[in-house]
Amino acid sequence: MKRKKCYIVFGAAIVLAAAAVTAVFVDRYYKSLEKSEILKIGVLVYKEDDTFVGGIVDEIKRQGKEYEREMEGRFRLDFSYAEENQSIQNEQIDKYLSLDYDVLCVNLVDRTEAAIVIEKAKAADVPVVFFNREPVPEDLQQWDKLYYVGADARESAVLEGLLVVDYYKKYPERLDKNQDGVIQYVLLEGEIRHQDSLIRTEYSIQTLVNAGLSLERLDGGIANWVRSQAEALTAQWLKEYGSDIELIISNNDDMALGAIDAIEDWYISFSNIVGIDGTPKGLEAVESGKMIGTIVTGQEDYARVILDLAKRMAAGISLDGLDIREDKSIRIPMYSINSDGEIRRLEEEGKEEN
Ligand code: GAL
């Protein structure tokens, strides 16, 4: 077991070292450009007021600005928001392509409509880094200059389920309030066609079932990642099921916060809520004991990986050293954190088991 671990650590060190070496090439390449030559990257975002995606985009802006300064203007980023309308995003793509942008980073509005975006980019020979809203695998295979950066939805769901399992083991009476041996729950779901909603809903529940918990679903509903929509749904459920609700499982933190808003409106004390994202407000709610826990996907890491891929592709530099999977994706690491401050990573547990 020791030996295997050693290989893993050594392997990771090689990957990091390779990444560092190529990062030097990337910088050197940009510095070698004529001052008048600018490599331009367009970042297209599905809407402006999504908390989690907004956090990633803010980081891309921050890191991008730094790089723009370091490269004395030979590198530049521009941003567009699509108001949740794929036709608007398609027009924005046309605009960037007509202005000879070198790479596009696309947070699709409709992940099932990637083919149109790919067709346009391929015709103009402009590489695309999709992020957060994952195209279907067949679309990503259509061309070799397409990649996806995102978090593994299944991993986040399993970690979310384990937050509940661990909590139940520690405090069974806090979760199974009526002591009937069954956990009565409600579930807040994200957008209907988003990969994260479908997978998180399925695997969070599956993880509870696998751990031997008996469950009863009282209700569930789609709140599209949005706090106010989740607040409205939870208020309805509180009216209908009252104290029968023992657990609220949410596909993300903003909807978990919406559930907390409803609970606070009712002046009841209830904190059996789990979320995903690790947004600043989500983490605050966990720290102050208003939620059992959340799953943190580092927005800084997310932004760095997107930019790294985009910078290299804009310069035509090798992607060696980047942790690209066979499905052409790079997955951002994540961990769970609970209100007792305990942290858990699945990746490490997998290594331990080896
Ligand atoms: C999910 C995230 C949600 C929302 C969504 C937008 O990964 O958990 O909070 O940001 O992406 O695509």
Side-chain angles (χ1 to χ4, degrees):
M1 183 183 109
K2 274 254 158 60
R3 173 166 289 185
K4 210 165 195 178
K5 248 184 163 176
C6 231
Y7 284 138
I8 290 166
V9 173
F10 190 55
I14 291 178
V15 171
L16 284 179
V21 169
T22 38
V24 172
F25 286 138
V26 178
D27 294 354
R28 219 178 267 162
Y29 178 88
Y30 278 88
K31 282 190 181 137
S32 74
L33 295 173
E34 290 294 324
K35 282 249 168 111
S36 55
E37 223 175 321
I38 304 173
L39 289 186
K40 295 178 294 193
I41 295 172
V43 182
L44 298 104
V45 187
Y46 89 108
K47 70 169 182 173
E48 207 161 356
D49 61 353
D50 180 297
T51 309
F52 180 67
V53 174
I56 298 169
V57 172
D58 285 349
E59 259 304 309
I60 297 180
K61 284 184 182 161
R62 191 188 64 76
Q63 296 178 21
K65 272 268 161 295
E66 223 168 77
Y67 203 65
E68 267 180 52
R69 262 197 310 274
E70 260 177 64
M71 295 304 133
E72 297 172 348
R74 295 175 182 98
F75 166 87
R76 161 173 165 186
L77 282 176
D78 284 289
F79 296 82
S80 298
Y81 298 88
E83 297 164 36
E84 290 184 89
N85 182 331
Q86 189 60 53
S87 313
I88 295 183
Q89 190 166 67
N90 292 347
E91 281 165 22
Q92 294 168 337
I93 285 173
D94 288 338
K95 189 195 83 191
Y96 282 123
L97 294 177
S98 72
L99 293 171
D100 286 335
Y101 273 64
D102 297 281
V103 168
L104 299 181
C105 300
V106 183
N107 175 233
L108 286 164
V109 176
D110 183 346
R111 54 184 285 268
T112 63
E113 294 287 326
I116 303 168
V117 175
I118 293 168
E119 200 181 299
K120 290 176 189 289
K122 195 172 169 188
D125 196 26
V126 173
V128 181
V129 179
F130 291 103
F131 67 99
N132 168 263
R133 300 166 74 88
E134 187 169 359
V136 293
E138 300 75 57
D139 282 340
L140 270 190
Q141 296 307 328
Q142 278 190 40
W143 189 34
D144 59 351
K145 294 181 184 167
L146 307 171
Y147 292 92
Y148 173 69
V149 176
D152 188 320
R154 184 170 165 169
E155 189 180 343
S156 62
V158 170
L159 279 168
E160 187 180 40
L162 290 175
L163 275 173
V164 178
V165 173
D166 289 347
Y167 188 75
Y168 187 52
K169 283 188 192 150
K170 252 180 161 173
Y171 312 113
E173 71 297 341
R174 288 199 208 161
L175 196 58
D176 185 13
K177 288 178 187 274
N178 62 6
Q179 304 282 294
D180 66 348
V182 181
I183 310 299
Q184 279 79 22
Y185 73 94
V186 291
L187 204 144
L188 288 162
E189 294 189 63
E191 286 165 281
I192 200 157
R193 269 186 300 189
H194 198 298
Q195 80 280 346
D196 288 346
S197 315
L198 309 169
I199 299 172
R200 287 176 185 172
T201 297
E202 181 179 348
Y203 285 97
S204 54
I205 298 300
Q206 195 56 49
T207 305
L208 299 183
V209 172
N210 290 350
L213 268 68
S214 300
L215 300 171
E216 182 189 348
R217 181 183 163 115
L218 294 177
D219 222 324
I222 293 164
N224 296 307
W225 311 121
V226 178
R227 183 167 177 161
S228 58
Q229 292 185 27
E231 179 182 358
L233 269 180
T234 310
Q236 207 177 297
W237 293 335
L238 287 172
K239 217 169 174 184
E240 208 166 328
Y241 308 103
S243 58
D244 286 349
I245 301 173
E246 293 177 323
L247 173 66
I248 302 179
I249 302 175
S250 173
N251 282 170
N252 80 339
D253 279 356
D254 259 15
M255 296 189 294
L257 292 166
I260 295 173
D261 294 338
I263 286 159
E264 289 181 345
D265 278 352
W266 277 62
Y267 298 103
I268 50 172
S269 151
F270 183 89
S271 56
N272 292 345
I273 306 169
V274 280
I276 292 179
D277 279 345
T279 61
K281 290 208 168 120
L283 285 170
E284 233 174 68
V286 173
E287 256 170 55
S288 60
K290 292 182 178 174
M291 270 167 81
I292 291 176
T294 185
I295 315 305
V296 185
T297 309
Q299 294 171 327
E300 221 179 298
D301 282 350
Y302 223 124
R304 192 176 27 74
V305 172
I306 294 169
L307 272 179
D308 201 8
L309 252 179
K311 267 160 35 185
R312 287 174 196 228
M313 290 206 284
I317 289 173
S318 141
L319 303 181
D320 287 355
L322 300 183
D323 198 5
I324 300 175
R325 294 188 183 180
E326 236 168 72
D327 64 358
K328 300 177 72 187
S329 74
I330 299 186
R331 303 288 166 175
I332 309 301
M334 64 182 79
Y335 60 87
S336 68
I337 182 156
N338 66 17
S339 48
D340 292 334
E342 291 160 344
I343 283 177
R344 183 169 190 174
R345 286 186 175 83
L346 281 188
E347 205 186 294
E348 278 170 7
E349 290 174 24
K351 281 181 202 167
E352 286 299 337
E353 278 158 23
N354 281 330

